[in-house]
Every structure is written in structure tokens, then in C-alpha cells.
Amino acid sequence: MAAGRGAALLRAEASSGRATFLELFFDLAFVVALTRVSQRFADVSDETGWALVGGLGRTLLLFLALWLIWSQTTWITSRYEPERSIIQAVVIGTMFAALVMAVTLPRAVEERAVPFTVAYLMVMVVRPLVVAAALRGHPRRLVPFRLAAWSALSAPLWLVGALGPDRLRLSLWAAALAVDYLAWALGWPLPRLGAAAVGRWRITGEHLAERHQQIFLIALGESILVIGAAFGGVDYSAERAAAFGIAFITSAVLWRIYFHRAGRLLNEALGRAGLPGQLGTASERTHALIVLSVLVTAVGYELVIAQPFGPPRPTWLLFVVGGPVLFLLARIRLDYEIFGRVPRSRVIGLVVLLLVTTALARWSPMVGLSVVAGVLALIALVDALRSRQRPLEDLASPIARETPGNREPEA
């Protein structure tokens, strides 16, 4: 009977693959969080040497902690029925914790380390125990127990990092986050129980794909917010107006490149995958890179709009060029995940950006942003021309193929 009540939490085959209004409400906390991440990147843009490396490292660590919260919540709502009251309570509680993390994020590695850590651990340790209790006697309760056990293992590193000397915080948190990500990659193995076969989980693939598309749009929306705030916060000039326009065009082209074929067919690919959990895991990692690339690119917009023809600053190329380069790398990976091929247009565009980076270091920020926008626009144009000449490719993911040898029951 207990297992039967716990089974009511699992997503039924007839369950809608669309994201619920609650999940869209949940994403509002990450609108704030991603904006804070972008601000932290912008704060270190004028640094050089080890100060720059340290600032980027701290911001990347905070982003990865937030991403772990968002992505695991997405897996919960893809695996369990989001209309159930207990799952809704879990999502709302996670949203509050994410909002606390977002509010503390600007100084999370400094004086606000304790509330940031407590909010993170409440999600990572307490949330899976709540889900396990709701599943009662169902066999799937072992998965959240595994997650809670591994999170409890890394919790001392988080707490000592937050409460201990400032000089040790970054290294302790990096070690703790490495444990959390490694545990997920390995399936949270425990003695006698083994590991959870994440790649064989039964999930609603269409739902997971839609959530990945939505987080990309949220990141892109954050870049639009940065463009508007940057242009509205400085004195008007024709040069800044031009930078504002080019920044907007760049964001629009990023949207076009993402949703061309692979991005648009992500729902269908995950829906038809023999092992949607396996493809979903790969897609989650790819979208972490895509979201990060958009945030980094948005910092470049802010820098260029503020001083479009200012003196050349090579470190700014990390944002003006580095963001789009990372985006193309991730987008190439997404093409491979969906079609099992690497598109030449993106590879050529990536090589061009890498080759011109050294030359752009001698030119004003406006020139760098214009070149990046031009290269991305050419990629989008090539995509559009090829779409007119040939039909959509058949899905041929090399990741999610199910064979008789790997049809084993999930953990």
C-alpha cells in the first residue's frame, strides 16, 4: 500500500510534457540569480592577472552551484508529477532557497557566505529527504536517499568554508562542488546499493527539453535586460546608440542560431530517445555551457555600450569574444547530440573568431563587438540558406540509442 501511494508521485505516461505555471514562477528566482552572476562577471572585467583569474573562478563556482539547483529541480519535475502538492511544495521551497542564494550572491564568497551556504544545503540535503519520505515504500526512494547521503558528505566542506578563514573558502567550496558534481555523474553510488542508472531513468523527455529551452531564453532575456540597463544608465551619444543596436542584433542572432534545427528539435529528440535520461544528461551539460556563454556575452555588451570607442583592453575580449566562442562550442556539441554530426558553418565561424582575437586586442571594443556580430550573422545566414535547399535532417543521436544490451531496469 505504501509503495502504491508513493507511485502516485511518479509521472504517468499520459502526463503533459509542458512546463507548468509553477515551474515558470520558479524560474523568476533564476532571473534574479543570473543577473547577479552577470554583475559579478562585470565587476572583475577591469582586473588583470591573478585578480582576474580569481574573480572569474569565484563567479564560475557560484554559477555552478546555482546551476546544480536549477537542473536537479528540472529533473525532479520531469521524473515526478508536478501537479502533486508535495512536489509543488518542494519546488516552492527550492525557489525560496534559490532567491536567498541570488540575493546573497554579490558577496557570497565574502561576508554573506553563511546564508548562501545554508540555502544551498537546505536544497541539497533536506529536499531529497522530503522526496524520499513522500515516496514511502516505493523502490525509487533510494535515489533521493543516495543524493542526500552524498550531499551530507560534502556539507562539512561547505560549512567549514563558510565559517572558516576567508583564504580557505574558495578552495573548500570548489572541493565541495566537485564532490556534488562527481556524485551526480557517477549516480550517487553507495555501498551494497551501487549507483543509480541515471541514463536509464524513465522521465518525460519533452518536458526536460522544454525546460532547457526555457532556461536559455531566460539567460537571453537577462542579456536584453543588461543591454537596456547599460544604455539607459549612461549619457546618450550616437556611438553608444550604435553599440546598443549591435548588442541587440547579436542577442537576436544567438537566438536564431540556437533554435536552428537542433535547438528546435530538442523536444522531439528527447521524446523519441530510447534512453531519454542519457540524452537529457548530455543536454543538461551542454545547456550549462550555453547559459554561461550568454551571461559572459552580456557582460561584453555592457562594457562596449559604456565605452564603445574607449582604449583597447585585451581582458575585455574574454567577454566580447570569449562569450560567443563558448556559445559556438556548446552549440556544436548540441548538434552532435541531436544529429550525430558537426556543422561546418559553426566550426568555420569558431575558427574565424579565434584567429581574429589577437588583432581585435588592438582595436576599440566597438570594433570587436561588430566583428563578432558579423561572424554570427553570417553563420545564421548560411543556416537559413541551407534550410531552403534541404529538408530537416532525421534525428540520429549517437547518445540515446537503446539496444537490447542496455535495457536494464532503472535504479
Side-chain angles (χ1 to χ4, degrees):
M1 181 65 68
R5 289 196 296 269
L9 263 65
L10 309 182
R11 268 191 180 263
E13 292 184 4
S15 178
S16 172
R18 301 301 304 273
T20 63
F21 291 120
L22 176 61
E23 291 171 279
L24 299 178
F25 179 53
F26 167 78
D27 285 342
L28 295 179
F30 281 84
V31 173
V32 179
L34 295 183
T35 300
R36 298 292 193 178
V37 171
S38 183
Q39 288 174 350
R40 279 198 68 112
F41 275 127
D43 290 342
V44 302
S45 60
D46 288 328
E47 301 288 350
T48 57
W50 288 112
L52 175 63
V53 173
L56 293 176
R58 287 189 290 272
T59 306
L60 179 61
L61 185 148
L62 297 174
F63 167 77
L64 290 175
L66 285 165
W67 181 260
L68 195 61
I69 297 296
W70 183 89
S71 57
Q72 289 192 359
T73 304
T74 297
W75 277 84
I76 287 175
T77 53
S78 294
R79 188 166 161 85
Y80 304 109
E81 181 53 62
E83 297 298 336
R84 294 288 177 178
S85 297
I86 186 63
I87 300 301
Q88 291 180 343
V90 164
V91 172
I92 291 175
T94 303
M95 178 183 179
F96 179 75
L99 190 58
V100 171
M101 294 172 67
V103 171
T104 59
L105 193 141
R107 304 293 296 173
V109 189
E110 293 80 21
E111 67 270 13
R112 295 183 180 178
V114 172
F116 181 90
T117 300
V118 170
Y120 177 83
L121 292 179
M122 286 295 293
V123 176
M124 296 299 293
V125 178
V126 177
R127 181 177 69 177
L129 293 177
V130 172
V131 174
L135 287 169
R136 302 174 188 266
H138 196 278
R140 283 198 189 182
R141 74 190 186 284
L142 295 178
V143 172
F145 271 133
R146 285 188 179 96
L147 200 155
W150 273 90
S151 297
L153 182 64
S154 67
L157 293 173
W158 285 105
L159 291 172
V160 173
L163 298 171
D166 293 350
R167 66 180 184 279
L168 298 178
R169 183 166 300 142
L170 186 60
S171 57
L172 288 172
W173 280 9
L177 195 62
V179 171
D180 291 339
Y181 270 92
L182 180 63
W184 191 6
L186 297 178
W188 307 283
L190 291 178
R192 297 187 179 181
L193 295 178
V198 179
R200 301 185 184 97
W201 280 1
R202 289 189 296 272
I203 61 171
T204 305
E206 298 94 330
H207 174 268
L208 192 64
E210 183 173 323
R211 297 296 288 137
H212 287 163
Q213 292 167 337
Q214 287 168 350
I215 194 64
F216 165 71
L217 289 175
I218 288 171
L220 208 58
E222 192 278 334
S223 73
I224 297 298
L225 181 63
V226 167
I227 292 171
F231 188 50
V234 296
D235 294 334
Y236 175 83
S237 69
E239 292 83 1
R240 286 173 176 153
F244 169 80
I246 294 174
F248 175 79
I249 291 171
T250 304
S251 285
V253 173
L254 291 178
W255 167 84
R256 180 67 177 84
I257 293 174
Y258 173 85
F259 279 105
H260 178 75
R261 297 184 186 249
R264 182 150 55 99
L265 293 176
L266 185 61
N267 301 59
E268 185 178 349
L270 271 164
R272 290 170 48 183
L275 295 170
Q278 192 170 340
L279 181 56
T281 300
S283 175
E284 179 272 327
R285 293 166 184 165
T286 299
H287 280 80
L289 296 176
I290 289 175
V291 170
L292 180 62
S293 72
V294 174
L295 298 181
V296 172
T297 303
V299 176
Y301 298 155
E302 183 175 357
L303 298 175
V304 176
I305 291 173
Q307 299 183 50
F309 290 100
R313 297 188 181 183
T315 55
W316 286 16
L317 293 177
L318 288 173
F319 305 99
V320 177
V321 181
V325 164
L326 182 59
F327 175 82
L328 289 178
L329 282 170
R331 188 56 182 77
I332 289 170
R333 176 183 163 108
L334 183 63
D335 269 303
Y336 177 77
E337 290 168 357
I338 303 301
F339 298 117
R341 62 168 177 78
V342 175
R344 286 180 297 176
S345 61
R346 287 160 180 69
V347 174
I348 293 172
L350 178 64
V351 172
V352 170
L353 287 180
L354 292 174
L355 290 177
V356 301
T357 298
T358 303
L360 291 177
R362 304 187 184 95
W363 293 85
S364 65
M366 183 71 163
V367 174
L369 182 61
S370 300
V371 170
V372 167
V375 171
L376 294 176
L378 285 174
I379 293 173
L381 178 61
V382 171
D383 288 344
L385 292 176
R386 287 184 175 177
S387 295
R388 294 180 180 180
Q389 298 171 0
R390 65 180 70 171
L392 287 174
E393 302 100 317
D394 291 332
L395 299 175
S397 174
I399 297 174
R401 293 171 182 167
E402 186 175 28
T403 63
N406 60 26
R407 290 178 186 171
E408 300 176 13
E410 64 173 335

